[in-house]
Amino acid sequence: MQAINDFFSLINSYLWGWPMIVLLLGTHLFLTIRLRFPQRKLLTALRLSVSKEKGADGEVSQFGALATALAATIGTGNIVGVALAITTGGPGAVFWCWVCGIFGMATKYSEGLLAVKYRVQDSDGRMLGGPMYALERGLGLKWLAVLFAFFTALAAFGIGCTVQANAISTLSFETYGITRWMTGLVITTLAAAVLLGGVKRIATVCGALVPFMAAFYVIGCVALLIINHAYVGKAISLIVTSAFTSQAAGGGFVGASVMMAARYGIARGLFSNESGMGSAPIIAAAARTRNPVRQALVSSTGTFWDTVVICALTGVVLVSAILAFPDVSSSDGAALTKAAFAKLPLGPHVLAVAILTFALSTILGWSYYGERAMEYLAGKRSVRYYRLAYVLAVFLGSVVGLELIWNIADSLNALMALPNLVALLLLSGTLARETKKYLWQNRLDEEE
Protein backbone atom coordinates (compact mmCIF):
# COMPACT_ATOMS: atom_id res chain seq x y z
CA MET A 1 0.00 0.00 0.00
CA GLN A 2 2.85 2.37 0.78
CA ALA A 3 4.37 1.68 -2.62
CA ILE A 4 1.05 2.46 -4.32
CA ASN A 5 0.73 5.64 -2.27
CA ASP A 6 4.25 6.70 -3.24
CA PHE A 7 3.43 6.01 -6.90
CA PHE A 8 0.39 8.29 -6.89
CA SER A 9 2.32 10.94 -4.96
CA LEU A 10 4.90 10.89 -7.75
CA ILE A 11 2.18 11.06 -10.42
CA ASN A 12 0.60 14.05 -8.68
CA SER A 13 3.90 15.89 -8.60
CA TYR A 14 3.71 15.88 -12.40
CA LEU A 15 -0.05 16.19 -12.91
CA TRP A 16 -0.37 19.13 -10.51
CA GLY A 17 3.02 20.68 -11.25
CA TRP A 18 3.75 23.86 -13.16
CA PRO A 19 2.53 22.56 -16.56
CA MET A 20 -1.00 21.97 -15.21
CA ILE A 21 -1.03 25.26 -13.33
CA VAL A 22 0.11 27.14 -16.44
CA LEU A 23 -2.48 25.30 -18.57
CA LEU A 24 -5.36 26.05 -16.21
CA LEU A 25 -4.41 29.66 -15.50
CA GLY A 26 -3.61 30.16 -19.18
CA THR A 27 -7.09 28.92 -20.07
CA HIS A 28 -8.60 31.33 -17.55
CA LEU A 29 -6.72 34.25 -19.09
CA PHE A 30 -7.35 33.19 -22.70
CA LEU A 31 -11.10 32.82 -22.20
CA THR A 32 -11.29 36.08 -20.24
CA ILE A 33 -9.74 37.96 -23.16
CA ARG A 34 -11.47 35.98 -25.95
CA LEU A 35 -14.90 36.53 -24.40
CA ARG A 36 -14.21 40.21 -23.61
CA PHE A 37 -14.19 39.89 -19.81
CA PRO A 38 -17.60 38.38 -18.98
CA GLN A 39 -16.70 39.05 -15.33
CA ARG A 40 -17.95 42.59 -15.99
CA LYS A 41 -21.49 41.21 -15.90
CA LEU A 42 -21.21 39.94 -12.32
CA LEU A 43 -24.16 41.97 -11.04
CA THR A 44 -26.33 40.70 -13.90
CA ALA A 45 -25.18 37.16 -13.14
CA LEU A 46 -26.07 37.51 -9.45
CA ARG A 47 -29.53 38.81 -10.39
CA LEU A 48 -30.13 35.92 -12.80
CA SER A 49 -29.04 33.37 -10.19
CA VAL A 50 -32.11 34.17 -8.08
CA SER A 51 -34.53 34.75 -10.97
CA LYS A 52 -37.15 32.20 -12.03
CA GLU A 53 -37.17 30.94 -15.61
CA LYS A 54 -40.81 30.19 -16.43
CA GLY A 55 -41.49 27.90 -19.37
CA ALA A 56 -37.81 27.17 -20.11
CA ASP A 57 -36.51 23.65 -20.65
CA GLY A 58 -34.73 21.97 -17.76
CA GLU A 59 -35.17 19.95 -14.57
CA VAL A 60 -34.15 22.36 -11.83
CA SER A 61 -34.08 26.14 -11.37
CA GLN A 62 -30.97 28.14 -12.16
CA PHE A 63 -30.52 28.71 -8.45
CA GLY A 64 -30.96 25.00 -7.77
CA ALA A 65 -28.24 24.18 -10.29
CA LEU A 66 -25.96 26.84 -8.82
CA ALA A 67 -26.61 25.66 -5.26
CA THR A 68 -25.80 22.06 -6.20
CA ALA A 69 -22.60 23.18 -7.95
CA LEU A 70 -21.63 25.27 -4.93
CA ALA A 71 -22.44 22.35 -2.65
CA ALA A 72 -19.90 20.25 -4.52
CA THR A 73 -17.34 23.05 -4.85
CA ILE A 74 -17.41 24.64 -1.39
CA GLY A 75 -15.70 22.06 0.78
CA THR A 76 -12.84 21.58 3.18
CA GLY A 77 -10.48 23.00 0.55
CA ASN A 78 -11.96 26.45 1.16
CA ILE A 79 -10.68 26.30 4.73
CA VAL A 80 -7.86 23.77 5.03
CA GLY A 81 -6.73 24.35 1.44
CA VAL A 82 -6.20 28.07 2.07
CA ALA A 83 -4.25 27.26 5.22
CA LEU A 84 -2.08 24.86 3.22
CA ALA A 85 -1.36 27.62 0.70
CA ILE A 86 -0.26 29.92 3.52
CA THR A 87 1.98 27.30 5.15
CA THR A 88 3.76 26.59 1.86
CA GLY A 89 3.61 29.88 -0.02
CA GLY A 90 3.33 32.46 2.75
CA PRO A 91 0.57 35.07 3.15
CA GLY A 92 1.03 36.26 -0.45
CA ALA A 93 -0.53 32.99 -1.60
CA VAL A 94 -3.92 34.32 -0.47
CA PHE A 95 -3.67 37.17 -2.99
CA TRP A 96 -2.85 34.82 -5.89
CA CYS A 97 -5.66 32.48 -4.85
CA TRP A 98 -8.03 35.46 -5.08
CA VAL A 99 -6.69 36.52 -8.49
CA CYS A 100 -7.14 32.95 -9.72
CA GLY A 101 -10.79 33.16 -8.71
CA ILE A 102 -11.34 36.41 -10.61
CA PHE A 103 -10.06 34.98 -13.89
CA GLY A 104 -11.51 31.53 -13.19
CA MET A 105 -14.98 33.04 -13.50
CA ALA A 106 -14.50 33.18 -17.29
CA THR A 107 -13.72 29.46 -17.42
CA LYS A 108 -16.69 28.54 -15.23
CA TYR A 109 -18.85 30.75 -17.47
CA SER A 110 -17.58 28.88 -20.53
CA GLU A 111 -18.21 25.46 -18.99
CA GLY A 112 -21.81 26.40 -18.21
CA LEU A 113 -22.38 27.72 -21.72
CA LEU A 114 -21.13 24.55 -23.41
CA ALA A 115 -23.11 22.37 -20.98
CA VAL A 116 -26.41 23.95 -22.06
CA LYS A 117 -25.40 24.32 -25.72
CA TYR A 118 -24.70 20.61 -26.18
CA ARG A 119 -27.07 19.03 -23.67
CA VAL A 120 -29.53 16.34 -24.71
CA GLN A 121 -32.99 15.36 -23.50
CA ASP A 122 -33.57 11.69 -22.73
CA SER A 123 -36.78 9.67 -23.07
CA ASP A 124 -37.86 10.71 -19.55
CA GLY A 125 -37.51 14.40 -20.34
CA ARG A 126 -34.31 14.85 -18.30
CA MET A 127 -31.60 17.20 -19.50
CA LEU A 128 -28.15 15.59 -19.64
CA GLY A 129 -24.97 17.48 -20.36
CA GLY A 130 -21.42 18.27 -19.37
CA PRO A 131 -17.97 18.02 -20.94
CA MET A 132 -18.62 14.47 -22.23
CA TYR A 133 -21.52 15.75 -24.36
CA ALA A 134 -19.55 18.79 -25.53
CA LEU A 135 -16.66 16.54 -26.54
CA GLU A 136 -18.94 14.09 -28.35
CA ARG A 137 -21.47 16.44 -29.97
CA GLY A 138 -19.33 19.54 -30.39
CA LEU A 139 -16.03 17.96 -31.43
CA GLY A 140 -16.84 14.35 -32.35
CA LEU A 141 -14.30 13.07 -29.83
CA LYS A 142 -16.30 10.20 -28.34
CA TRP A 143 -13.22 8.44 -26.98
CA LEU A 144 -12.16 11.53 -25.03
CA ALA A 145 -15.72 11.95 -23.76
CA VAL A 146 -15.63 8.39 -22.43
CA LEU A 147 -12.34 9.05 -20.67
CA PHE A 148 -13.73 12.16 -19.00
CA ALA A 149 -16.83 10.29 -17.80
CA PHE A 150 -14.70 7.39 -16.53
CA PHE A 151 -12.40 9.65 -14.51
CA THR A 152 -15.38 11.61 -13.16
CA ALA A 153 -17.23 8.49 -12.00
CA LEU A 154 -14.16 7.37 -10.08
CA ALA A 155 -13.15 10.81 -8.80
CA ALA A 156 -16.54 11.27 -7.16
CA PHE A 157 -15.71 8.46 -4.73
CA GLY A 158 -12.54 10.26 -3.70
CA ILE A 159 -12.66 14.04 -3.40
CA GLY A 160 -16.46 14.11 -3.41
CA CYS A 161 -17.24 11.32 -0.97
CA THR A 162 -14.72 9.45 1.16
CA VAL A 163 -12.38 12.34 1.96
CA GLN A 164 -15.32 14.57 2.90
CA ALA A 165 -16.85 11.89 5.13
CA ASN A 166 -13.48 11.42 6.79
CA ALA A 167 -13.20 15.17 7.43
CA ILE A 168 -16.59 15.12 9.18
CA SER A 169 -15.83 12.07 11.34
CA THR A 170 -12.36 13.33 12.28
CA LEU A 171 -13.69 16.74 13.31
CA SER A 172 -16.59 15.22 15.26
CA PHE A 173 -14.21 12.98 17.17
CA GLU A 174 -11.54 15.61 17.89
CA THR A 175 -13.96 18.41 18.79
CA TYR A 176 -16.90 16.63 20.43
CA GLY A 177 -15.62 13.11 21.18
CA ILE A 178 -18.17 11.38 18.91
CA THR A 179 -16.88 8.03 17.64
CA ARG A 180 -16.11 7.75 13.92
CA TRP A 181 -18.49 4.86 13.29
CA MET A 182 -21.36 6.72 14.94
CA THR A 183 -20.70 9.78 12.79
CA GLY A 184 -20.43 7.49 9.78
CA LEU A 185 -23.86 6.00 10.42
CA VAL A 186 -25.46 9.43 10.78
CA ILE A 187 -24.01 11.00 7.63
CA THR A 188 -24.57 7.79 5.63
CA THR A 189 -28.24 7.83 6.61
CA LEU A 190 -28.57 11.51 5.77
CA ALA A 191 -26.81 11.07 2.43
CA ALA A 192 -28.94 8.07 1.48
CA ALA A 193 -32.18 9.89 2.32
CA VAL A 194 -31.24 12.71 -0.06
CA LEU A 195 -29.50 10.79 -2.85
CA LEU A 196 -32.27 8.25 -3.32
CA GLY A 197 -34.59 11.12 -4.27
CA GLY A 198 -32.60 12.00 -7.39
CA VAL A 199 -31.50 15.35 -8.78
CA LYS A 200 -34.59 17.29 -7.76
CA ARG A 201 -34.23 16.32 -4.10
CA ILE A 202 -30.49 16.97 -4.22
CA ALA A 203 -31.10 20.42 -5.69
CA THR A 204 -33.82 21.16 -3.12
CA VAL A 205 -31.64 20.17 -0.16
CA CYS A 206 -28.60 21.99 -1.53
CA GLY A 207 -30.74 25.03 -2.23
CA ALA A 208 -31.60 25.15 1.48
CA LEU A 209 -28.21 24.07 2.86
CA VAL A 210 -25.82 26.13 0.75
CA PRO A 211 -27.18 29.61 1.63
CA PHE A 212 -27.21 28.66 5.32
CA MET A 213 -23.70 27.24 5.42
CA ALA A 214 -22.20 30.04 3.33
CA ALA A 215 -23.95 32.78 5.31
CA PHE A 216 -23.00 31.16 8.62
CA TYR A 217 -19.35 30.90 7.65
CA VAL A 218 -19.16 34.41 6.20
CA ILE A 219 -20.86 35.91 9.28
CA GLY A 220 -18.62 33.83 11.53
CA CYS A 221 -15.48 35.02 9.72
CA VAL A 222 -16.62 38.65 9.83
CA ALA A 223 -17.28 38.31 13.56
CA LEU A 224 -13.81 36.86 14.09
CA LEU A 225 -12.30 39.73 12.09
CA ILE A 226 -14.19 42.26 14.22
CA ILE A 227 -12.88 40.60 17.38
CA ASN A 228 -9.37 40.64 15.91
CA HIS A 229 -9.80 44.03 14.20
CA ALA A 230 -6.46 45.43 15.35
CA TYR A 231 -4.64 43.03 13.02
CA VAL A 232 -6.97 42.98 9.99
CA GLY A 233 -5.38 45.96 8.23
CA LYS A 234 -1.90 44.56 8.82
CA ALA A 235 -3.04 41.17 7.50
CA ILE A 236 -4.43 42.61 4.26
CA SER A 237 -1.30 44.72 3.75
CA LEU A 238 0.94 41.71 4.35
CA ILE A 239 -1.09 39.54 1.94
CA VAL A 240 -0.74 42.11 -0.86
CA THR A 241 2.91 43.02 -0.31
CA SER A 242 3.97 39.39 0.12
CA ALA A 243 2.44 38.57 -3.28
CA PHE A 244 5.09 40.74 -4.95
CA THR A 245 8.03 40.68 -2.55
CA SER A 246 9.80 37.81 -0.80
CA GLN A 247 8.39 37.08 2.66
CA ALA A 248 11.08 36.57 5.27
CA ALA A 249 10.66 33.71 7.70
CA GLY A 250 9.42 34.59 11.14
CA GLY A 251 6.28 35.95 12.72
CA GLY A 252 4.60 32.59 12.36
CA PHE A 253 5.11 32.45 8.57
CA VAL A 254 7.34 30.32 6.40
CA GLY A 255 9.97 31.95 4.25
CA ALA A 256 8.50 32.22 0.77
CA SER A 257 9.55 33.72 -2.53
CA VAL A 258 7.18 35.47 -4.92
CA MET A 259 7.23 32.37 -7.14
CA MET A 260 6.29 30.13 -4.20
CA ALA A 261 3.45 32.45 -3.20
CA ALA A 262 2.13 32.50 -6.78
CA ARG A 263 2.51 28.76 -7.30
CA TYR A 264 0.74 27.62 -4.14
CA GLY A 265 -1.86 30.37 -4.18
CA ILE A 266 -2.83 29.66 -7.79
CA ALA A 267 -2.79 25.89 -7.23
CA ARG A 268 -5.10 26.14 -4.19
CA GLY A 269 -7.38 28.56 -5.99
CA LEU A 270 -7.67 26.26 -8.99
CA PHE A 271 -8.32 23.24 -6.80
CA SER A 272 -10.87 25.03 -4.63
CA ASN A 273 -13.13 26.59 -7.27
CA GLU A 274 -12.83 23.67 -9.74
CA SER A 275 -12.92 26.05 -12.70
CA GLY A 276 -11.60 23.99 -15.59
CA MET A 277 -12.13 20.63 -13.94
CA GLY A 278 -15.44 20.01 -15.72
CA SER A 279 -17.58 18.97 -12.77
CA ALA A 280 -19.95 21.94 -12.34
CA PRO A 281 -21.26 21.97 -15.95
CA ILE A 282 -22.81 18.54 -15.39
CA ILE A 283 -25.46 20.06 -13.13
CA ALA A 284 -25.59 23.33 -15.10
CA ALA A 285 -26.98 21.33 -18.03
CA ALA A 286 -30.07 20.45 -15.97
CA ALA A 287 -31.01 24.09 -15.30
CA ARG A 288 -34.13 25.75 -16.70
CA THR A 289 -32.80 28.55 -18.88
CA ARG A 290 -33.83 30.45 -22.01
CA ASN A 291 -30.41 30.32 -23.63
CA PRO A 292 -26.91 29.01 -22.83
CA VAL A 293 -25.46 32.40 -21.89
CA ARG A 294 -27.96 33.03 -19.08
CA GLN A 295 -26.93 29.82 -17.32
CA ALA A 296 -23.28 30.50 -18.12
CA LEU A 297 -23.49 33.77 -16.20
CA VAL A 298 -25.17 32.03 -13.26
CA SER A 299 -22.48 29.34 -13.26
CA SER A 300 -19.72 31.95 -13.15
CA THR A 301 -21.02 33.24 -9.81
CA GLY A 302 -20.05 29.91 -8.27
CA THR A 303 -16.36 30.77 -8.62
CA PHE A 304 -17.03 34.26 -7.28
CA TRP A 305 -18.64 32.97 -4.08
CA ASP A 306 -16.21 30.08 -3.64
CA THR A 307 -12.88 31.80 -4.14
CA VAL A 308 -13.32 35.56 -4.36
CA VAL A 309 -15.44 35.66 -1.19
CA ILE A 310 -15.02 32.55 0.98
CA CYS A 311 -11.35 31.71 0.31
CA ALA A 312 -10.38 35.37 0.67
CA LEU A 313 -12.20 35.66 4.01
CA THR A 314 -10.53 32.49 5.25
CA GLY A 315 -7.14 33.84 4.25
CA VAL A 316 -7.58 37.15 6.08
CA VAL A 317 -8.86 35.37 9.21
CA LEU A 318 -5.87 33.01 9.26
CA VAL A 319 -3.23 35.66 8.55
CA SER A 320 -4.65 38.08 11.12
CA ALA A 321 -4.78 35.30 13.72
CA ILE A 322 -1.14 34.41 13.05
CA LEU A 323 -0.14 38.07 13.41
CA ALA A 324 -2.05 38.37 16.67
CA PHE A 325 -0.76 35.08 18.04
CA PRO A 326 2.77 34.34 16.72
CA ASP A 327 2.73 30.91 18.39
CA VAL A 328 0.08 29.84 15.86
CA SER A 329 2.39 28.17 13.38
CA SER A 330 2.35 24.81 11.66
CA SER A 331 3.53 23.18 8.45
CA ASP A 332 0.24 21.28 8.31
CA GLY A 333 -2.80 23.09 6.87
CA ALA A 334 -5.37 21.36 9.06
CA ALA A 335 -3.35 21.94 12.23
CA LEU A 336 -2.82 25.61 11.34
CA THR A 337 -6.54 26.12 10.74
CA LYS A 338 -7.50 24.51 14.02
CA ALA A 339 -4.86 26.43 15.99
CA ALA A 340 -5.78 29.79 14.42
CA PHE A 341 -9.52 29.45 15.01
CA ALA A 342 -8.92 28.12 18.54
CA LYS A 343 -7.29 31.44 19.48
CA LEU A 344 -10.46 33.40 18.77
CA PRO A 345 -13.71 33.38 20.84
CA LEU A 346 -16.25 30.99 19.29
CA GLY A 347 -13.69 30.21 16.59
CA PRO A 348 -13.66 26.41 17.14
CA HIS A 349 -17.46 26.24 16.81
CA VAL A 350 -17.48 28.36 13.66
CA LEU A 351 -14.85 26.04 12.20
CA ALA A 352 -16.72 22.90 13.28
CA VAL A 353 -20.08 23.89 11.80
CA ALA A 354 -18.41 25.13 8.60
CA ILE A 355 -16.49 21.92 7.95
CA LEU A 356 -19.47 19.72 8.84
CA THR A 357 -21.83 21.51 6.45
CA PHE A 358 -19.23 22.11 3.71
CA ALA A 359 -18.22 18.46 3.64
CA LEU A 360 -21.80 17.14 3.73
CA SER A 361 -22.86 19.39 0.88
CA THR A 362 -19.87 18.25 -1.19
CA ILE A 363 -20.96 14.63 -0.73
CA LEU A 364 -24.39 15.48 -2.12
CA GLY A 365 -23.19 17.58 -5.04
CA TRP A 366 -20.54 15.15 -6.25
CA SER A 367 -22.95 12.24 -6.12
CA TYR A 368 -24.87 13.83 -9.00
CA TYR A 369 -21.70 14.29 -11.04
CA GLY A 370 -20.70 10.67 -10.55
CA GLU A 371 -24.17 9.34 -11.41
CA ARG A 372 -24.40 11.32 -14.65
CA ALA A 373 -20.93 10.16 -15.66
CA MET A 374 -21.86 6.55 -14.89
CA GLU A 375 -25.09 6.87 -16.87
CA TYR A 376 -23.12 8.17 -19.86
CA LEU A 377 -20.81 5.16 -19.66
CA ALA A 378 -23.21 2.31 -18.88
CA GLY A 379 -26.79 3.51 -19.20
CA LYS A 380 -29.55 4.52 -16.80
CA ARG A 381 -29.83 1.14 -15.05
CA SER A 382 -26.24 1.37 -13.81
CA VAL A 383 -27.08 4.43 -11.70
CA ARG A 384 -28.88 2.50 -8.94
CA TYR A 385 -25.80 0.34 -8.35
CA TYR A 386 -23.49 3.32 -8.49
CA ARG A 387 -25.67 5.17 -5.97
CA LEU A 388 -25.59 2.21 -3.58
CA ALA A 389 -21.80 1.98 -3.83
CA TYR A 390 -21.53 5.73 -3.24
CA VAL A 391 -23.62 5.56 -0.06
CA LEU A 392 -21.49 2.67 1.26
CA ALA A 393 -18.35 4.65 0.46
CA VAL A 394 -19.62 7.45 2.73
CA PHE A 395 -19.50 5.09 5.70
CA LEU A 396 -16.13 3.59 4.74
CA GLY A 397 -14.64 7.04 4.37
CA SER A 398 -15.75 7.88 7.89
CA VAL A 399 -13.84 5.05 9.54
CA VAL A 400 -10.66 4.44 7.51
CA GLY A 401 -7.47 6.37 6.83
CA LEU A 402 -7.41 8.19 3.50
CA GLU A 403 -3.90 9.29 2.56
CA LEU A 404 -3.87 6.92 -0.42
CA ILE A 405 -7.39 7.91 -1.47
CA TRP A 406 -6.43 11.59 -1.31
CA ASN A 407 -3.52 10.98 -3.67
CA ILE A 408 -5.64 8.90 -6.07
CA ALA A 409 -8.36 11.57 -6.01
CA ASP A 410 -5.84 14.29 -6.87
CA SER A 411 -4.69 12.26 -9.87
CA LEU A 412 -8.24 11.65 -11.09
CA ASN A 413 -9.12 15.33 -10.71
CA ALA A 414 -6.24 16.29 -12.98
CA LEU A 415 -7.20 13.59 -15.50
CA MET A 416 -10.76 15.00 -15.48
CA ALA A 417 -9.51 18.49 -16.21
CA LEU A 418 -7.45 17.63 -19.29
CA PRO A 419 -10.33 16.50 -21.59
CA ASN A 420 -12.47 19.38 -20.32
CA LEU A 421 -9.78 21.92 -21.17
CA VAL A 422 -9.53 20.41 -24.67
CA ALA A 423 -13.26 21.06 -25.15
CA LEU A 424 -13.02 24.62 -23.82
CA LEU A 425 -10.08 25.60 -26.01
CA LEU A 426 -11.21 23.89 -29.23
CA LEU A 427 -14.75 25.23 -28.86
CA SER A 428 -13.66 28.75 -27.93
CA GLY A 429 -15.01 29.98 -31.29
CA THR A 430 -18.48 28.71 -30.36
CA LEU A 431 -18.13 30.33 -26.95
CA ALA A 432 -17.23 33.66 -28.53
CA ARG A 433 -20.15 33.55 -31.00
CA GLU A 434 -22.75 32.67 -28.37
CA THR A 435 -21.39 35.29 -25.97
CA LYS A 436 -21.44 38.00 -28.64
CA LYS A 437 -24.97 37.05 -29.71
CA TYR A 438 -26.65 36.96 -26.32
CA LEU A 439 -24.43 38.96 -23.95
CA TRP A 440 -22.79 41.76 -25.90
CA GLN A 441 -25.75 42.35 -28.24
CA ASN A 442 -28.11 42.62 -25.25
CA ARG A 443 -30.28 39.62 -26.17
CA LEU A 444 -30.14 37.80 -22.84
CA ASP A 445 -33.94 37.54 -22.64
CA GLU A 446 -34.28 35.78 -25.99
CA GLU A 447 -35.04 32.06 -26.33
CA GLU A 448 -32.36 29.89 -27.92
Side-chain angles (χ1 to χ4, degrees), residues 165-197:
N166 189 264
I168 295 174
S169 65
T170 299
L171 180 72
S172 298
F173 177 74
E174 293 180 351
T175 306
Y176 303 109
I178 303 173
T179 60
R180 293 177 183 271
W181 68 266
M182 181 63 72
T183 301
L185 285 176
V186 172
I187 60 177
T188 299
T189 301
L190 290 174
V194 177
L195 300 183
L196 295 178

Side-chain angles (χ1 to χ4, degrees), residues 121-200:
Q121 189 170 26
D122 69 2
S123 58
D124 295 330
R126 299 178 305 151
M127 290 295 186
L128 307 176
M132 53 276 205
Y133 293 92
L135 286 164
E136 179 183 354
R137 303 184 70 219
L139 295 170
L141 299 175
K142 174 75 173 181
W143 65 273
L144 200 55
V146 169
L147 282 179
F148 173 84
F150 176 73
F151 293 136
T152 301
L154 291 179
F157 282 103
I159 190 63
C161 179
T162 50
V163 297
Q164 304 297 331
N166 189 264
I168 295 174
S169 65
T170 299
L171 180 72
S172 298
F173 177 74
E174 293 180 351
T175 306
Y176 303 109
I178 303 173
T179 60
R180 293 177 183 271
W181 68 266
M182 181 63 72
T183 301
L185 285 176
V186 172
I187 60 177
T188 299
T189 301
L190 290 174
V194 177
L195 300 183
L196 295 178
V199 62
K200 291 185 178 180

Side-chain angles (χ1 to χ4, degrees), residues 228-252:
N228 205 31
H229 65 276
Y231 294 90
V232 172
K234 296 178 182 178
I236 295 174
S237 176
L238 183 60
I239 287 170
V240 175
T241 56
S242 298
F244 301 99
T245 58
S246 296
Q247 168 66 36

